[in-house]
Amino acid sequence: MRPRNRRSPVPVLALVLAPFPAAVLVAALAAPLALAGTPAPSAPAPPAGAVVVSAVEDVFVRPDATAPVDDQVILGERVTVLEETAGFARVRGDDGETGWVATEALRRGPPEEALRQVEVTSPVAHVYRDPDVTSSRPLLTAPLGARVGVVGELEREGHPWLKVRLPDARVAWLRREDAAFVTPGVRPELGTPAGWIALGRRFLGAPYTWGGVTPFGFDCSGLVQTILRRHGVLLARNSSQMCFRDPQLVAVDPSRLEPGDLLFFGTEDKIDHMGMWVGDGTVLQATSYGVPSTKVTPWDDARLKPRFRYARRLALLPSAPKPGPLGPSALAALKERLEALAKEGAATYGIVFEDLAGGGRVEIGAHRTMHAASTMKTAVLLEVMRRVDTGTLRLTDEVPLVNEFRSAFDGSPFRITLDPESEGVLAGRVGKTASVELLATEMIRHSSNFATNTLIGLVGAKPVQELCDRLGAPTVKVRRGVEDEKAFEAGFSNETDAAGMAALMKACVRTTLLSDAARAKVWEILTSQAFNDQIPAGIPAQAGAVVAHKTGSISTVQHDAAIVRLPDGREYVLVLLATDFGGEKGRERVIETTRKMSRAAWKAMIAPRTEG
């Protein structure tokens, strides 16, 4: 039941599902035009295909046979070879997962298209040198799902045999009852949850094996993935990925479970086990507890019910809930929860939540004006990217770095303190230059005041404010640069409220005043934020959510404003502004409360839809 320790693919998945993948659009924005007559660079060689020649082969997290096993591949499985080193190849399977296998377990080249293919349908099947079960020991024992090519058929003593060619080119014999002919590219029938459970029961007693995906030994997610794969559905490989990131599964109300539903177990912060609901108060699971094996366990088992967290159903089933926006009761419940947390946080809050996919919105003190602190830097970023769109700026333009700026009050010069935490990247460049892209990135990533003032000097505070007004965020006031004390004393204060900040964050991913490529660059920069102890910290790391946000903190305020993109591509805005919290103990309390508020918003977004 330990959590599977593999690299998370969630930011990539979240971008792929999004309308405008940041990496693609940024590449399009930055790519130079090819010059006429310049030969195009040669394309890299495509990854090589290979077939597994072993009955079952472990997939390691590193190219080392003593490394942890993360997965398995089986006889006849096609993989893509990504790289090789010291007797190991890093391969990618059909579920997208990668890992290292011994190169001796692979045969390079395309599949043998001319041969009819059979797939092992028994839990395990012996493959023999001769069509006889007694004349010699088996050449190998193939697991369920293994594939081989057929070169002939024979009946001997009333038993039908298949003459097969193994992936390593050896010719052998397989009992016909152990296999079925398959058509490449044709998906097996989905069947019914009763059929899934019946197949799972055939594996009862199979030993628990970390990384296992065969009847020789399963881990919890390997059992479920194998059952559904045999019915034409290829789920993500591990339990947390299935729970949070697999778009083929939808959330269901635990009080309305049906046979075949998937149950996920763990803590508030980590899913580390799963099983399948049988429907009679029991769960089919592969577990390392008790006798480590595949078994059917009572729901009331001490390792199950107390640790239950989520239920999911295959979206293809007729009874699966349909995706939809947050309904009135869900929004009301979220508002009630946020109000309770605001009281617990003992501060003055401005809060806005908006489901960008469904339009639902929650506001608490949304029009309460506060000092903007560094959240106003998002507005500067948007104006910089608008200038890039118009061609009056380029991301590659080099800007002189001089620690002297002009006050918005009377134009007099002032300097700022170069804080090592926020100015480490730029401090050593004073007297030199930096690109517009580096300045924009550091303004957000490390909240550089030096970069902010340099960019405001470049584009002007007034145009930044005009853009805020056009974006429907007139309550975001950008009147001056940072540490402009004369302007501050004269009442030139940078201000915001939660409603204005929410409009600004929404504009980062929705506004048509910026091009697709410009919005993608804004997203890229906002997701590079180095200070992630508020809204991002409230969402489980396993969840695969990508948070694009900007924080703001001075002596009197503690802010965070974000767009959160879920693995299925849905997005929501969450703005949490706080003031009147007292000293540093109060700030710590506010930060902890912010995390709880973030968790509440995320839970509302991933919860089962119970309203039409």
Side-chain angles (χ1 to χ4, degrees):
M1 291 191 185
R2 295 173 296 160
R4 298 186 62 79
N5 181 23
R6 64 172 76 236
R7 293 181 294 274
S8 169
V10 161
V12 175
L13 178 61
L15 293 176
V16 167
L17 293 174
F20 302 109
V24 173
L25 293 172
V26 169
L29 179 65
L33 295 175
L35 299 176
T38 302
S42 58
V51 63
V52 179
V53 301
S54 302
V56 179
E57 191 68 25
D58 288 332
V59 179
F60 299 97
V61 298
R62 299 187 305 273
D64 177 355
T66 66
V69 174
D70 210 25
D71 203 350
Q72 290 177 333
V73 289
I74 65 174
L75 183 73
E77 183 173 344
R78 298 292 304 179
V79 297
T80 301
V81 178
L82 304 175
E83 60 179 302
E84 290 186 66
T85 181
F88 285 85
R90 188 166 70 89
V91 301
R92 181 175 60 236
D94 57 1
D95 61 0
E97 294 297 318
T98 64
W100 296 88
V101 301
T103 52
E104 64 184 11
L106 303 175
R107 178 184 63 77
R108 302 306 179 85
E112 297 185 77
E113 302 289 355
L115 295 181
R116 291 183 299 164
Q117 295 284 306
V118 291
E119 189 170 83
V120 172
T121 54
S122 297
V124 294
H126 289 323
V127 178
Y128 296 92
R129 184 187 63 195
D130 302 305
D132 189 329
V133 300
T134 62
S135 63
S136 63
R137 66 183 180 87
L139 290 177
L140 58 83
T141 301
L144 177 77
R147 290 194 175 192
V148 292
V150 176
V151 294
E153 297 186 51
L154 173 70
E155 183 168 324
R156 174 176 287 186
E157 298 179 354
H159 297 294
W161 288 85
L162 297 173
K163 188 177 185 180
V164 299
R165 181 175 297 157
L166 301 177
D168 61 6
R170 287 182 295 171
V171 174
W173 294 88
L174 174 67
R175 285 285 290 268
R176 179 68 178 81
E177 296 93 338
D178 283 327
F181 282 95
V182 292
T183 303
V186 176
R187 182 167 21 178
E189 292 185 3
L190 178 63
T192 65
W196 309 346
I197 293 166
L199 176 61
R201 286 184 180 277
R202 296 178 68 189
F203 307 140
L204 294 179
Y208 180 87
T209 302
W210 182 261
V213 296
T214 79
F216 293 125
F218 292 104
D219 65 14
C220 64
S221 53
L223 172 66
V224 172
Q225 190 193 48
T226 297
I227 290 172
L228 271 296
R229 184 194 287 264
R230 296 294 302 162
H231 291 87
V233 178
L234 181 57
L235 296 179
R237 177 58 184 92
N238 70 54
S239 56
S240 65
Q241 290 173 337
M242 288 189 205
C243 183
F244 297 128
R245 309 181 192 186
D246 198 314
Q248 300 170 97
L249 299 174
V250 295
V252 290
D253 187 334
S255 67
R256 302 178 183 178
L257 292 177
E258 296 181 0
D261 286 346
L262 306 184
L263 309 181
F264 296 88
F265 305 88
T267 66
E268 271 294 297
D269 294 311
K270 182 178 289 187
I271 295 301
D272 59 17
H273 185 61
M274 68 176 300
M276 181 178 287
W277 180 247
V278 174
D280 57 358
T282 60
V283 179
L284 173 68
Q285 59 165 333
T287 175
S288 61
Y289 286 86
V291 177
S293 60
T294 295
K295 61 183 73 172
V296 174
T297 309
W299 167 245
D300 289 333
D301 183 273
R303 291 295 306 177
L304 292 179
K305 190 174 181 179
R307 304 181 73 249
F308 171 74
R309 290 294 178 268
Y310 305 98
R312 300 287 184 262
R313 184 171 299 160
L314 191 66
L316 292 172
L317 293 174
S319 63
K322 305 306 177 193
L326 271 67
S329 65
L331 291 168
L334 175 59
K335 184 173 184 179
E336 182 179 355
R337 175 61 176 155
L338 293 175
E339 286 175 334
L341 287 169
K343 185 176 181 180
E344 177 184 308
T348 300
Y349 287 91
I351 300 171
V352 171
F353 163 88
E354 184 176 352
D355 172 9
L356 297 186
R361 188 176 174 98
V362 171
E363 294 186 353
I364 300 171
H367 301 287
R368 185 175 286 130
T369 299
M370 302 185 194
H371 193 288
S374 291
T375 57
M376 48 75 68
K377 295 171 183 176
T378 305
V380 179
L381 173 64
L382 292 172
E383 174 60 15
V384 167
M385 292 311 303
R386 189 192 69 80
R387 296 291 185 92
V388 171
D389 267 347
T390 63
T392 57
L393 270 183
R394 293 178 300 177
L395 292 173
T396 55
D397 285 346
E398 291 289 322
V399 181
L401 298 185
V402 181
N403 190 5
E404 182 174 292
F405 308 99
R406 297 293 167 181
S407 173
F409 174 63
D410 60 3
S412 60
F414 71 95
R415 296 166 63 86
I416 69 169
T417 304
L418 297 180
D419 180 357
E421 183 178 17
S422 59
E423 309 295 352
V425 174
L426 297 177
R429 291 174 175 254
V430 175
K432 302 176 184 177
T433 64
S435 69
V436 169
E437 182 171 9
L438 178 60
L439 291 170
T441 300
E442 285 303 303
M443 176 176 64
I444 302 298
R445 178 183 292 161
H446 292 112
S447 204
S448 166
N449 293 337
F450 188 44
T452 303
N453 285 3
T454 302
L455 290 173
I456 288 177
L458 197 62
V459 303
K462 184 177 179 181
V464 173
Q465 186 61 56
E466 290 172 350
L467 180 60
C468 289
D469 296 345
R470 293 174 67 193
L471 292 173
T475 52
V476 176
K477 302 296 185 183
V478 181
R479 297 184 171 111
R480 58 172 175 82
V482 186
E483 296 186 35
D484 183 351
E485 297 299 334
K486 280 191 176 180
F488 175 73
E489 291 169 1
F492 289 53
S493 184
N494 294 328
E495 298 173 343
T496 189
D497 61 12
M501 204 64 221
L504 209 61
M505 299 311 292
K506 182 176 180 178
C508 291
V509 292
R510 291 289 191 271
T511 182
T512 57
L513 295 180
L514 295 181
S515 68
D516 297 345
R519 291 199 306 275
K521 175 57 74 171
V522 169
W523 175 265
E524 178 188 302
I525 291 174
L526 288 172
T527 56
S528 73
Q529 173 66 248
F531 307 117
N532 296 301
D533 61 345
Q534 295 186 79
I535 290 176
I539 302 173
Q542 292 180 335
V546 182
V547 182
H549 69 123
K550 183 69 192 81
T551 58
S553 176
I554 57 173
S555 59
T556 59
V557 301
Q558 186 69 38
H559 301 332
D560 202 358
I563 315 110
V564 181
R565 182 174 291 167
L566 300 176
D568 61 8
R570 291 181 299 146
E571 295 170 330
Y572 63 93
V573 166
L574 184 61
V575 176
L576 304 173
L577 311 182
T579 189
D580 300 332
F581 48 75
E584 286 308 301
K585 286 291 185 182
R587 186 187 304 279
E588 292 173 8
R589 183 179 61 250
V590 162
I591 291 173
E592 180 59 32
T593 301
T594 299
R595 293 172 186 156
K596 294 177 181 178
M597 290 177 172
S598 176
R599 176 66 63 96
W602 170 78
K603 278 190 169 182
M605 286 295 293
I606 69 162
R609 296 292 183 261
T610 57
E611 299 170 291

